[in-house]
Amino acid sequence: MGQMIPDLAAASRASAAKIKSNGISNGINGAGKKCQYDPTFTQKVISATGPNANPRLAQIFPSLVRHLHDFAREVNLTVGEWSAAVDFLNDCGRMSDDRRNETQLLCDILGLESLVDEITSKQLATSTTQTPSAILGPFYRSDAPFLPNGTSIVQDLSPSVPWYEQALEDSAFLSGRVLSTDGKPIENAVVDVWHTAPNGLYEQQDSDQPEMNFRGRFRTDQQGRYALYALRPVSYPIPDDGPAGKLLELLDRHPNRPGHIHFIVSADGHRPLTTQLYDSRDRWVDNDAVFAVKDELVVKFEPREGDPQARWELGYDFTLGRC
């Protein structure tokens, strides 16, 4: 798998060298003549769709084909570059499993997931008071354990853990309510939360962490309240051991995400909310590698007094829109 990205770079360099040596630019071929591409080809592909096609697919497929074909013609895409791109996507798929989604990570660094999240949220919004959404990210796990309110998602913390001291310094108490857009508390809502360890790794990336470390699900009480112990989040780089990270390197882009805590908040009769909260102290909060930060989701942790389990605290209410 590691050979794919260099192949993509090699294909681009080979094409660029050929263009330079032959004086080809802007669709001018080696004979010095402007390339004439079949103007009817794209419509032939679109017209091949049958009368019983899926309605939504039939609606969006023509636009997809036009944009793809226009892109290929605009950049004079070569067979070598196209083949390397296919290998790239295949490698993303091969690296993806129930613990990590490399193809989704690719969408993140292209800004596509953040854009689709914005489109979906605005189309489905039923009130301006709803908490803004944010991307899911590639490290979500759907089966985090249910924990009692007021307990911790930090497992097996001891002085033998390399980041023990940082975990103590960043220990935090998170609490708040889950509300409907009319301001009423929602009982029995589920608050699913996860974040990295202080070393910047999610538990499925780190064999030294316990299973489901820094993950948990909590149910709200009659007043819609949730509470848990966690850590202030730290920034971390996107993994560079896969195609997505290598693409960032080729683009000369930094890989860093600001410190954040993931949430999925759900309740009967309401639209589930997928979002993230970003620590205002983080240097990358204004320069996120996946373009997911929203001003409304940047939060400030305050010092917490009289609690041996936490040095910081954060209060945050989530507001869900109705279905």
Side-chain angles (χ1 to χ4, degrees), residues 99 139 161-163 196-214:
R99 289 171 171 255
F139 295 104
V161 176
W163 32 262
T196 71
N199 62 3
L201 297 176
Y202 293 95
E203 49 86 19
Q204 68 264 56
Q205 297 177 280
D206 186 357
S207 60
D208 291 332
Q209 290 189 50
E211 180 80 357
M212 292 293 178
N213 199 23
F214 300 106

mmCIF file of all heavy atoms in Angstrom, residues 99 139 161-163 196-214:
data_model
loop_
_atom_site.group_PDB
_atom_site.id
_atom_site.type_symbol
_atom_site.label_atom_id
_atom_site.label_comp_id
_atom_site.label_asym_id
_atom_site.label_seq_id
_atom_site.Cartn_x
_atom_site.Cartn_y
_atom_site.Cartn_z
ATOM 1 N N ARG A 99 -12.622 0.051 12.865
ATOM 2 C CA ARG A 99 -11.901 0.877 13.824
ATOM 3 C C ARG A 99 -11.355 2.158 13.207
ATOM 4 O O ARG A 99 -10.998 3.087 13.921
ATOM 5 C CB ARG A 99 -10.740 0.076 14.430
ATOM 6 C CG ARG A 99 -11.192 -1.027 15.376
ATOM 7 C CD ARG A 99 -10.036 -1.924 15.763
ATOM 8 N NE ARG A 99 -10.452 -2.833 16.827
ATOM 9 C CZ ARG A 99 -10.103 -2.716 18.102
ATOM 10 N NH1 ARG A 99 -9.348 -1.700 18.472
ATOM 11 N NH2 ARG A 99 -10.502 -3.581 19.004
ATOM 12 N N PHE A 139 -12.661 7.864 13.447
ATOM 13 C CA PHE A 139 -12.333 6.969 14.554
ATOM 14 C C PHE A 139 -13.512 6.711 15.491
ATOM 15 O O PHE A 139 -13.336 6.293 16.634
ATOM 16 C CB PHE A 139 -11.146 7.525 15.345
ATOM 17 C CG PHE A 139 -9.881 7.564 14.538
ATOM 18 C CD1 PHE A 139 -9.401 8.771 14.031
ATOM 19 C CD2 PHE A 139 -9.182 6.413 14.248
ATOM 20 C CE1 PHE A 139 -8.246 8.812 13.272
ATOM 21 C CE2 PHE A 139 -8.026 6.436 13.488
ATOM 22 C CZ PHE A 139 -7.549 7.641 12.998
ATOM 23 N N VAL A 161 1.579 4.955 33.358
ATOM 24 C CA VAL A 161 1.175 5.419 32.030
ATOM 25 C C VAL A 161 2.068 6.599 31.628
ATOM 26 O O VAL A 161 2.254 7.530 32.417
ATOM 27 C CB VAL A 161 -0.306 5.853 32.028
ATOM 28 C CG1 VAL A 161 -0.697 6.416 30.669
ATOM 29 C CG2 VAL A 161 -1.200 4.686 32.408
ATOM 30 N N PRO A 162 2.648 6.591 30.430
ATOM 31 C CA PRO A 162 3.610 7.644 30.043
ATOM 32 C C PRO A 162 3.066 9.063 30.149
ATOM 33 O O PRO A 162 3.810 9.992 30.444
ATOM 34 C CB PRO A 162 3.961 7.278 28.594
ATOM 35 C CG PRO A 162 3.683 5.819 28.478
ATOM 36 C CD PRO A 162 2.517 5.555 29.393
ATOM 37 N N TRP A 163 1.779 9.233 29.904
ATOM 38 C CA TRP A 163 1.202 10.570 29.934
ATOM 39 C C TRP A 163 0.381 10.820 31.205
ATOM 40 O O TRP A 163 -0.552 11.630 31.219
ATOM 41 C CB TRP A 163 0.340 10.806 28.701
ATOM 42 C CG TRP A 163 -0.356 9.584 28.145
ATOM 43 C CD1 TRP A 163 0.061 8.802 27.107
ATOM 44 C CD2 TRP A 163 -1.598 9.010 28.602
ATOM 45 N NE1 TRP A 163 -0.839 7.780 26.884
ATOM 46 C CE2 TRP A 163 -1.865 7.880 27.788
ATOM 47 C CE3 TRP A 163 -2.492 9.327 29.612
ATOM 48 C CZ2 TRP A 163 -2.995 7.083 27.948
ATOM 49 C CZ3 TRP A 163 -3.619 8.530 29.789
ATOM 50 C CH2 TRP A 163 -3.851 7.424 28.960
ATOM 51 N N THR A 196 -9.197 11.641 22.205
ATOM 52 C CA THR A 196 -7.909 10.954 22.224
ATOM 53 C C THR A 196 -7.306 10.965 23.628
ATOM 54 O O THR A 196 -7.732 11.707 24.510
ATOM 55 C CB THR A 196 -6.882 11.616 21.283
ATOM 56 O OG1 THR A 196 -6.495 12.875 21.843
ATOM 57 C CG2 THR A 196 -7.444 11.812 19.889
ATOM 58 N N ALA A 197 -6.282 10.151 23.783
ATOM 59 C CA ALA A 197 -5.437 10.227 24.968
ATOM 60 C C ALA A 197 -4.521 11.444 24.849
ATOM 61 O O ALA A 197 -4.426 12.058 23.773
ATOM 62 C CB ALA A 197 -4.610 8.945 25.099
ATOM 63 N N PRO A 198 -3.817 11.813 25.919
ATOM 64 C CA PRO A 198 -2.887 12.946 25.826
ATOM 65 C C PRO A 198 -1.765 12.758 24.811
ATOM 66 O O PRO A 198 -1.126 13.742 24.427
ATOM 67 C CB PRO A 198 -2.333 13.040 27.256
ATOM 68 C CG PRO A 198 -3.424 12.514 28.122
ATOM 69 C CD PRO A 198 -4.012 11.377 27.330
ATOM 70 N N ASN A 199 -1.540 11.527 24.365
ATOM 71 C CA ASN A 199 -0.532 11.306 23.317
ATOM 72 C C ASN A 199 -1.088 11.543 21.915
ATOM 73 O O ASN A 199 -0.393 11.314 20.918
ATOM 74 C CB ASN A 199 0.061 9.903 23.418
ATOM 75 C CG ASN A 199 -0.969 8.795 23.231
ATOM 76 O OD1 ASN A 199 -2.141 9.066 22.977
ATOM 77 N ND2 ASN A 199 -0.535 7.552 23.380
ATOM 78 N N GLY A 200 -2.345 11.991 21.825
ATOM 79 C CA GLY A 200 -2.947 12.305 20.536
ATOM 80 C C GLY A 200 -3.478 11.109 19.783
ATOM 81 O O GLY A 200 -3.829 11.239 18.607
ATOM 82 N N LEU A 201 -3.590 9.955 20.441
ATOM 83 C CA LEU A 201 -4.047 8.739 19.776
ATOM 84 C C LEU A 201 -5.385 8.277 20.348
ATOM 85 O O LEU A 201 -5.584 8.265 21.575
ATOM 86 C CB LEU A 201 -3.023 7.613 19.937
ATOM 87 C CG LEU A 201 -1.644 7.835 19.315
ATOM 88 C CD1 LEU A 201 -0.718 6.673 19.658
ATOM 89 C CD2 LEU A 201 -1.748 8.011 17.802
ATOM 90 N N TYR A 202 -6.305 7.893 19.454
ATOM 91 C CA TYR A 202 -7.517 7.216 19.898
ATOM 92 C C TYR A 202 -7.150 5.788 20.297
ATOM 93 O O TYR A 202 -6.148 5.231 19.836
ATOM 94 C CB TYR A 202 -8.553 7.210 18.774
ATOM 95 C CG TYR A 202 -9.085 8.586 18.442
ATOM 96 C CD1 TYR A 202 -8.524 9.340 17.414
ATOM 97 C CD2 TYR A 202 -10.145 9.145 19.157
ATOM 98 C CE1 TYR A 202 -8.999 10.609 17.105
ATOM 99 C CE2 TYR A 202 -10.629 10.410 18.859
ATOM 100 C CZ TYR A 202 -10.049 11.139 17.825
ATOM 101 O OH TYR A 202 -10.522 12.389 17.538
ATOM 102 N N GLU A 203 -7.984 5.189 21.141
ATOM 103 C CA GLU A 203 -7.589 3.901 21.719
ATOM 104 C C GLU A 203 -7.351 2.817 20.675
ATOM 105 O O GLU A 203 -6.495 1.949 20.860
ATOM 106 C CB GLU A 203 -8.608 3.434 22.761
ATOM 107 C CG GLU A 203 -10.068 3.467 22.331
ATOM 108 C CD GLU A 203 -10.524 2.232 21.600
ATOM 109 O OE1 GLU A 203 -9.853 1.198 21.706
ATOM 110 O OE2 GLU A 203 -11.555 2.304 20.926
ATOM 111 N N GLN A 204 -8.060 2.860 19.546
ATOM 112 C CA GLN A 204 -7.849 1.819 18.542
ATOM 113 C C GLN A 204 -6.552 2.028 17.759
ATOM 114 O O GLN A 204 -6.130 1.148 17.013
ATOM 115 C CB GLN A 204 -9.038 1.725 17.580
ATOM 116 C CG GLN A 204 -9.241 2.916 16.648
ATOM 117 C CD GLN A 204 -10.242 3.874 17.187
ATOM 118 O OE1 GLN A 204 -10.095 4.370 18.292
ATOM 119 N NE2 GLN A 204 -11.295 4.156 16.412
ATOM 120 N N GLN A 205 -5.915 3.194 17.945
ATOM 121 C CA GLN A 205 -4.611 3.445 17.332
ATOM 122 C C GLN A 205 -3.452 3.048 18.247
ATOM 123 O O GLN A 205 -2.306 3.028 17.795
ATOM 124 C CB GLN A 205 -4.453 4.934 17.005
ATOM 125 C CG GLN A 205 -5.413 5.502 16.000
ATOM 126 C CD GLN A 205 -5.198 6.987 15.840
ATOM 127 O OE1 GLN A 205 -5.657 7.794 16.655
ATOM 128 N NE2 GLN A 205 -4.465 7.368 14.812
ATOM 129 N N ASP A 206 -3.766 2.788 19.494
ATOM 130 C CA ASP A 206 -2.731 2.645 20.519
ATOM 131 C C ASP A 206 -2.927 1.331 21.275
ATOM 132 O O ASP A 206 -3.841 1.207 22.096
ATOM 133 C CB ASP A 206 -2.823 3.841 21.480
ATOM 134 C CG ASP A 206 -1.710 3.867 22.506
ATOM 135 O OD1 ASP A 206 -0.887 2.941 22.524
ATOM 136 O OD2 ASP A 206 -1.671 4.832 23.302
ATOM 137 N N SER A 207 -2.061 0.366 21.026
ATOM 138 C CA SER A 207 -2.198 -0.955 21.648
ATOM 139 C C SER A 207 -1.974 -0.926 23.156
ATOM 140 O O SER A 207 -2.342 -1.871 23.862
ATOM 141 C CB SER A 207 -1.216 -1.938 21.000
ATOM 142 O OG SER A 207 0.125 -1.491 21.169
ATOM 143 N N ASP A 208 -1.393 0.155 23.676
ATOM 144 C CA ASP A 208 -1.158 0.256 25.114
ATOM 145 C C ASP A 208 -2.382 0.764 25.874
ATOM 146 O O ASP A 208 -2.395 0.744 27.113
ATOM 147 C CB ASP A 208 0.027 1.194 25.397
ATOM 148 C CG ASP A 208 1.354 0.594 24.935
ATOM 149 O OD1 ASP A 208 1.471 -0.641 24.914
ATOM 150 O OD2 ASP A 208 2.257 1.378 24.569
ATOM 151 N N GLN A 209 -3.394 1.250 25.168
ATOM 152 C CA GLN A 209 -4.600 1.729 25.833
ATOM 153 C C GLN A 209 -5.622 0.608 25.982
ATOM 154 O O GLN A 209 -5.740 -0.257 25.111
ATOM 155 C CB GLN A 209 -5.231 2.877 25.046
ATOM 156 C CG GLN A 209 -4.452 4.176 25.052
ATOM 157 C CD GLN A 209 -5.257 5.311 24.446
ATOM 158 O OE1 GLN A 209 -6.408 5.540 24.816
ATOM 159 N NE2 GLN A 209 -4.651 6.027 23.519
ATOM 160 N N PRO A 210 -6.404 0.633 27.069
ATOM 161 C CA PRO A 210 -7.481 -0.353 27.230
ATOM 162 C C PRO A 210 -8.544 -0.188 26.149
ATOM 163 O O PRO A 210 -8.722 0.895 25.588
ATOM 164 C CB PRO A 210 -8.055 -0.034 28.614
ATOM 165 C CG PRO A 210 -7.041 0.815 29.290
ATOM 166 C CD PRO A 210 -6.305 1.545 28.215
ATOM 167 N N GLU A 211 -9.244 -1.260 25.869
ATOM 168 C CA GLU A 211 -10.356 -1.227 24.926
ATOM 169 C C GLU A 211 -11.381 -0.182 25.368
ATOM 170 O O GLU A 211 -11.769 -0.106 26.526
ATOM 171 C CB GLU A 211 -11.018 -2.605 24.861
ATOM 172 C CG GLU A 211 -12.183 -2.723 23.914
ATOM 173 C CD GLU A 211 -11.771 -2.896 22.461
ATOM 174 O OE1 GLU A 211 -10.557 -2.872 22.171
ATOM 175 O OE2 GLU A 211 -12.666 -3.065 21.614
ATOM 176 N N MET A 212 -11.799 0.654 24.435
ATOM 177 C CA MET A 212 -12.816 1.683 24.655
ATOM 178 C C MET A 212 -12.365 2.771 25.640
ATOM 179 O O MET A 212 -13.202 3.448 26.246
ATOM 180 C CB MET A 212 -14.140 1.073 25.123
ATOM 181 C CG MET A 212 -14.833 0.239 24.071
ATOM 182 S SD MET A 212 -15.399 1.274 22.692
ATOM 183 C CE MET A 212 -16.119 0.040 21.603
ATOM 184 N N ASN A 213 -11.069 2.956 25.785
ATOM 185 C CA ASN A 213 -10.592 4.036 26.632
ATOM 186 C C ASN A 213 -11.014 5.387 26.052
ATOM 187 O O ASN A 213 -11.028 5.578 24.832
ATOM 188 C CB ASN A 213 -9.070 3.981 26.742
ATOM 189 C CG ASN A 213 -8.532 4.753 27.925
ATOM 190 O OD1 ASN A 213 -9.244 4.990 28.898
ATOM 191 N ND2 ASN A 213 -7.263 5.141 27.861
ATOM 192 N N PHE A 214 -11.368 6.325 26.921
ATOM 193 C CA PHE A 214 -11.816 7.665 26.535
ATOM 194 C C PHE A 214 -13.064 7.625 25.656
ATOM 195 O O PHE A 214 -13.251 8.459 24.770
ATOM 196 C CB PHE A 214 -10.701 8.444 25.824
ATOM 197 C CG PHE A 214 -9.480 8.640 26.667
ATOM 198 C CD1 PHE A 214 -8.322 7.916 26.428
ATOM 199 C CD2 PHE A 214 -9.491 9.533 27.729
ATOM 200 C CE1 PHE A 214 -7.191 8.087 27.220
ATOM 201 C CE2 PHE A 214 -8.370 9.710 28.526
ATOM 202 C CZ PHE A 214 -7.215 8.988 28.278
#
